[in-house]
Amino acid sequence: MAHLNFETILNYVEGSLSLEARSGVEAHLNQPCLHCQALAARVTDLLHLMANDNTIAPPRAVVQRMLAVIHRHAATDRPRIPATLVFDSWQHDPLLAMRGPESALHQQLLFRAEGLDIDLQLTSSQDDTTVRGQILSAGQDEVLLAPVVVLHSRGDVVAATETDRLGQFAFESVPSGIYDLHIELERADIAIEGIRLDR
Amino acid sequence: MPTLELNSLPDANLIQICLNGGANRSQAWEALILRYQRLIYSIPRGHGLSDSEAADVAQAVCLLLLENLARLRNHQRLGAWLYTTTRRECWRQLRQRHSISNELDPAALESQPDEKTQPEEDLIQLERTTLVRAALSRLEPRCQRLLTLLFYTEPRPSYEEIVKTLGLPEGSIGPTRARCLQKLLNILEQNRFFE
């Protein structure tokens, strides 16, 4: 027995066939053709589900946060490479670490690992800190393909983001504390540990 | 095994890889989370939680899944486990928000009146719509865009608008739509969706 083609079944389920074509399909189904009946039932089910879908896609940052949990705990085989501090603006000029009344406090840090420069700028107000960063190939100003950057506190993921096309990322309004920053590359993580934001 | 192939595996097979370790373990975990991301995020939003509260719930559920997957007896019931666990985390989040006493019996929270009266039906509907969306994401981009415009966009755009948006030849939407839906159905059948 020749079966109905998929488009005909779809049009039948959607009710877009002419009366004559519809009668032809029904005659075929009622022979009975169990194969086409089953296919029509599945198409009906699928269209019903699509029409009644109230799910909400999580924002990208939330998906990254979920995956960061998985990567951190499930992928224990991923090597973690500690980054080396190569520049700290406060060590360079300790006066910069002094805060005037109502003024924000800035600190610039430069880390290096795996041929990458990780530039961090910490801007603290009275209540919290904004962490801005940029990841570039060391000495070449070459932007890396969107690695995920994850902020941890006491082993828990606090926030996660992806770098933009300039290799930049930011975490706004981070409460005081000591944090680890992990940059998730394809096969390894770069770890910057013990960043103090409690000034 | 590339992530694309892992995505085509039914839950039970993915869970086996997650639990047994090996080179693909991390990718299998990722495939599971991506498959159920909509379910995990839609429940807290449906409970009226904010974006950031829903993100906290989603993160907590991922951690609980990591801790409990090995204890999940029926691997076919992962969606149901995620549904129940996510609802529990929502109540925990709501309790924090409203500063309800920590001594409140968790069982009492489970029996909190819900706006919806048929949780089992809700679960089935939510799980199945989530899995259809996950299958949709495995189609080629052109099919994804077309089916999204045709079946997930309110109000549904006219064929003329779709032709213009997707740059398709006039008169090709009907056959293309059928081919894309058939591919979607094949993916779902491969995942034993209709069993």
Side-chain angles (χ1 to χ4, degrees):
Chain A
M1 183 194 306
H3 296 302
L4 298 169
N5 72 42
F6 185 84
E7 192 176 359
T8 302
I9 290 180
L10 175 59
N11 289 336
Y12 169 74
V13 169
E14 284 196 312
S16 59
L17 289 178
S18 67
L19 207 57
E20 186 184 358
R22 184 174 184 82
S23 300
V25 169
E26 283 170 353
H28 176 86
L29 293 175
N30 292 333
Q31 284 182 2
C33 176
L34 299 180
H35 171 87
C36 290
Q37 280 182 11
L39 188 54
R42 288 180 176 195
V43 171
T44 305
D45 187 17
L46 179 57
L47 294 186
H48 174 78
L49 285 169
M50 293 169 95
N52 293 285
D53 183 346
N54 296 316
T55 61
I56 304 166
R60 198 169 173 168
V62 175
V63 178
Q64 285 161 356
R65 206 167 142 187
M66 294 163 80
L67 293 180
V69 172
I70 296 302
H71 286 154
R72 185 170 186 280
H73 294 270
T76 49
D77 50 339
R78 283 169 65 85
R80 183 163 295 162
I81 301 149
T84 309
L85 178 67
V86 293
F87 177 78
D88 178 350
S89 61
W90 285 7
Q91 287 179 10
H92 188 72
D93 186 352
L95 286 177
L96 289 173
M98 296 173 65
R99 185 204 297 269
E102 301 298 319
S103 68
L105 197 59
H106 300 280
Q107 183 180 16
Q108 186 167 9
L109 302 165
L110 179 64
F111 292 87
R112 193 163 285 162
E114 289 292 288
L116 298 174
D117 280 346
I118 302 119
D119 181 23
L120 292 185
Q121 291 186 33
L122 316 179
T123 306
S124 300
S125 65
Q126 293 290 350
D127 303 319
D128 52 39
T129 298
T130 296
V131 179
R132 295 187 196 285
Q134 187 174 28
I135 305 168
L136 295 166
S137 287
Q140 296 175 26
D141 285 358
E142 187 183 318
V143 176
L144 206 65
L145 270 180
V148 173
V149 184
V150 185
L151 195 62
H152 297 265
S153 173
R154 296 176 185 173
D156 291 329
V157 175
V158 174
T161 188
E162 204 169 63
T163 55
D164 65 13
R165 60 189 174 82
L166 298 175
Q168 296 173 326
F169 63 90
F171 297 107
E172 308 278 351
S173 306
V174 184
S176 292
I178 298 175
Y179 292 86
D180 299 334
L181 194 76
H182 293 173
I183 297 155
E184 298 189 347
L185 307 177
E186 193 177 355
R187 302 203 176 280
D189 295 348
I190 291 176
I192 299 172
E193 301 195 327
I195 305 168
R196 291 185 71 91
L197 302 182
D198 55 345
R199 46 213 73 203
Chain B
M1 191 185 296
T3 308
L4 198 62
E5 287 180 45
L6 285 171
N7 284 339
S8 67
L9 295 177
D11 285 358
N13 301 52
L14 269 184
I15 291 171
Q16 279 302 321
I17 299 174
C18 290
L19 296 177
N20 294 342
N24 296 315
R25 183 166 173 251
S26 177
Q27 290 97 320
W29 272 106
E30 196 167 312
L32 267 188
I33 294 297
L34 292 177
R35 183 172 293 175
Y36 284 99
Q37 56 177 308
R38 276 178 174 267
L39 181 146
I40 296 170
Y41 187 72
S42 297
I43 294 171
R45 298 296 282 133
H47 277 69
L49 297 182
S50 67
D51 279 342
S52 85
E53 288 169 326
D56 288 344
V57 167
Q59 181 178 327
V61 170
C62 289
L63 270 171
L64 288 165
L65 181 61
L66 278 161
E67 289 167 11
N68 293 289
L69 188 65
R71 287 192 281 274
L72 186 68
R73 286 183 187 169
N74 184 352
H75 293 176
Q76 312 286 353
R77 297 281 295 164
L78 175 64
W81 186 88
L82 285 169
Y83 178 82
T84 307
T85 304
T86 308
R87 279 165 54 95
R88 273 198 198 124
E89 285 305 306
C90 288
W91 282 113
R92 199 187 305 278
Q93 190 71 241
L94 285 168
R95 188 169 59 183
Q96 278 177 7
R97 187 205 273 184
H98 298 298
S99 302
I100 298 172
S101 165
N102 284 336
E103 292 171 9
L104 196 60
D105 180 6
L109 284 174
E110 276 304 287
S111 63
Q112 291 279 339
D114 197 320
E115 287 175 12
K116 297 177 178 172
T117 54
Q118 296 170 294
E120 183 64 22
E121 282 184 21
D122 286 350
L123 155 65
I124 293 166
Q125 171 81 8
L126 186 55
E127 183 180 11
R128 297 187 86 226
T129 50
T130 295
L131 293 176
V132 171
R133 286 281 196 166
L136 181 77
S137 71
R138 291 176 48 207
L139 292 175
E140 63 209 67
R142 192 177 69 147
C143 273
Q144 284 185 41
R145 287 199 296 273
L146 178 61
L147 295 185
T148 302
L149 284 170
L150 283 170
F151 298 106
Y152 289 114
T153 307
E154 286 290 340
R156 182 168 165 166
S158 67
Y159 273 21
E160 289 75 21
E161 287 169 313
I162 294 173
V163 161
K164 202 181 286 182
T165 305
L166 300 185
L168 291 170
E170 277 191 39
S172 69
I173 288 187
T176 310
R177 172 198 66 148
R179 274 196 299 277
C180 292
L181 262 183
Q182 191 164 17
K183 286 180 186 173
L184 181 61
L185 208 63
N186 290 343
I187 291 172
L188 291 166
E189 283 171 351
Q190 197 179 13
N191 278 352
R192 299 173 195 158
F193 179 80
F194 296 102
E195 290 175 12

